[in-house]
Amino acid sequence: MKRTARPENVHQATLLRLLRDGGRSRAELGDVVDLSRSKLNVELDRLVELGLAEPDGLAASRGGRRSGRVRLSPRTRFAGIDIGATSIDVAVTTGELEVLGHLSERADIREGPAAVLERAVELVGKLRREGLCSELNGVGIGVPGPVSFAEGVPVVPPIMPGWDRYPVRETIGQELGCPAMVDNDVNIMALGELHAGLAKNVDDFLLVKIGTGIGCGIVVDGKIYRGVSGSAGDIGHIRVDDLGPVCACGNSGCLEAYFGGAALAREAAALARAGGSARLAERLAVAGALTGEDVAAAAAQGDPGAIALIRDGGRRVGQVLASLVSFFNPGLVIIAGGVARLGHVLLAEIRSVVYRRSLPLATGNLPIVLSELGDTAGVVGAARLISDHVYSAT
Ligand SMILES: [Zn+2]
């Protein structure tokens, strides 16, 4: 394995992260880092020597001599792998995390780590064969379950049979021959929003992912907050009703057991069979089963039963979120994930509960919005995760 060049000190690491977030002139970099002009130039020259950055012409004059622009090496490549319960997304990005190629396909997490990770590696290989990268500087991976971030392994993940303590980070790092980092899918989505989405200029925010499961990414001061062991934000298993349905985790009445993708599909089928929705009954007869997308489609056509299902779920998410808002006082809440495609009916319900239940001081300046990044949030976030690692002092 070729050793990827890494910054040698904290100043170089800071400079690389600034360049990742947009090319700048030496003078502009001097404005934001706490270094003397000569020391700054020494560090930048060293980054060029290491092959991590390179000169990029001259900046427009700011009144005196024109300052040289610097950018990350255009040969830098990161891979982002976003493994969901029912899909794999893989992308290759530049050092600035611009997506050069993105592949997405259906997959079943229950096939186990060996099969799913092999498929992910094959997809990276496919992008490689398309000429998007020869060497990779690093790969970030998201998986749909709790992850011990320090060890790079999933820990007792409820919807990932066979993955408990599987060495995901080690396996992918060895297969692709580069540094690897693994985190849960919700945290990487939050990083994607921080880098390229609606949270770009927000330091403290929550990202609520409602997909097959439900989780929350917590960003504090521009960084993911993972808690002591990596389980922070696992809100899908907050109990909303003592007598509620049994959840995949073994407890009962969890938020996720009411309104994850699986719960929504089950509720929709029950509603259709009970004669509560003509459109869902029609769809069930044709397809044999229902999905969250079917509920979204029926609601978009004005089906009252489907709309009531979404409102009901939105109300429960809103109740949990109202408590989180009181506790955390975020500057932004982003709703993302497959079920978030239920759209504005869902958003309106969540907003109404949160705004009603949290204190005015917490909600006075609190946008609650739907993600606009779609499937790219996860892969960009995964690339951001590994870039934060590669661009840190060794
Ligand atoms: Zn649960």
Side-chain angles (χ1 to χ4, degrees):
M1 175 164 99
K2 181 179 156 287
R3 236 186 90 66
T4 310
R6 294 279 297 275
E8 299 161 325
N9 59 46
V10 63
H11 301 302
Q12 292 179 9
T14 304
L15 290 167
L16 287 168
R17 289 182 188 204
L18 286 166
L19 292 173
R20 174 193 66 192
D21 302 338
R24 294 167 195 243
S25 69
R26 287 174 186 248
E28 285 164 342
L29 288 166
D31 293 343
V32 285
V33 295
D34 192 19
L35 285 175
S36 71
R37 183 78 168 259
S38 59
K39 180 83 174 116
L40 172 71
N41 282 326
V42 168
E43 299 297 2
L44 285 171
D45 291 343
R46 183 67 187 138
L47 287 176
V48 173
E49 271 172 41
L50 288 169
L52 287 163
E54 65 171 46
D56 186 29
L58 290 175
S61 170
R62 301 202 300 185
R65 228 181 60 200
R66 292 172 68 193
S67 171
R69 288 185 62 83
V70 186
R71 65 171 176 182
L72 292 176
S73 162
R75 290 173 298 285
T76 304
R77 292 290 181 271
F78 295 114
I81 299 176
D82 181 13
I83 297 172
T86 58
S87 61
I88 303 178
D89 278 76
V90 169
V92 165
T93 77
T94 63
E96 291 85 4
L97 313 188
E98 188 194 325
V99 174
L100 296 174
H102 180 178
L103 296 172
S104 181
E105 66 178 38
R106 305 290 290 175
D108 187 345
I109 194 79
R110 293 171 299 185
E111 282 179 14
V116 172
L117 295 180
E118 189 186 314
R119 191 62 203 142
V121 168
E122 277 169 24
L123 290 174
V124 174
K126 205 167 160 191
L127 291 171
R128 197 173 251 172
R129 286 192 298 279
E130 285 173 16
L132 298 183
C133 59
S134 46
E135 303 263 351
L136 279 173
N137 298 68
V139 54
I141 307 126
V143 296
V147 168
S148 164
F149 187 67
E151 299 163 281
V153 300
V155 179
V156 201
I159 62 167
M160 301 170 65
W163 288 74
D164 185 26
R165 299 216 151 260
Y166 192 87
V168 175
R169 182 177 67 198
E170 223 178 287
T171 305
I172 293 280
Q174 270 170 16
E175 286 289 329
L176 295 178
C178 63
M181 296 293 268
V182 57
D183 203 344
N184 75 62
D185 58 343
V186 185
N187 284 347
I188 64 162
M189 276 183 112
L191 284 172
E193 294 288 344
L194 184 66
H195 189 81
L198 295 163
K200 205 160 179 192
N201 299 306
V202 185
D203 282 341
D204 302 278
F205 71 95
L206 298 177
L207 173 125
V208 178
K209 180 184 178 189
I210 315 175
T212 304
I214 298 180
C216 181
I218 306 166
V219 174
V220 181
D221 211 6
K223 295 190 189 78
I224 294 286
Y225 176 78
R226 296 187 175 85
V228 170
S229 51
S231 76
D234 208 350
I235 65 168
H237 303 285
I238 289 179
R239 178 170 289 188
V240 292
D241 187 341
D242 283 351
L243 303 172
V246 173
C247 177
C249 75
N251 286 321
S252 61
C254 297
L255 178 62
E256 192 168 302
Y258 277 104
F259 198 52
L264 184 63
R266 189 189 61 225
E267 294 278 312
L271 182 74
R273 290 198 190 96
S277 161
R279 284 189 194 279
L280 288 175
E282 220 171 84
R283 180 73 192 142
L284 182 62
V286 175
L290 291 174
T291 65
E293 282 100 73
D294 296 328
V295 180
Q301 291 168 329
D303 182 90
I307 292 173
L309 275 184
I310 297 172
R311 287 226 171 103
D312 199 43
R315 186 170 45 82
R316 292 193 191 273
V317 172
Q319 282 167 2
V320 169
L321 199 48
S323 305
L324 300 180
V325 164
S326 297
F327 178 75
F328 180 66
N329 188 200
L332 173 70
V333 174
I334 301 176
I335 311 289
V339 175
R341 293 189 191 126
L342 298 176
H344 287 272
V345 175
L346 175 67
L347 186 64
E349 193 64 31
I350 292 175
R351 278 180 176 157
S352 101
V353 176
V354 174
Y355 291 151
R356 202 168 59 233
R357 293 215 175 184
S358 308
L359 289 175
L361 184 59
T363 57
N365 193 15
L366 175 64
I368 303 176
V369 298
L370 293 175
S371 168
E372 293 172 359
L373 287 180
D375 292 340
T376 58
V379 286
V380 169
R384 162 94 179 204
L385 174 73
I386 191 61
S387 75
D388 276 340
H389 171 71
V390 171
Y391 295 153
S392 62
T394 43

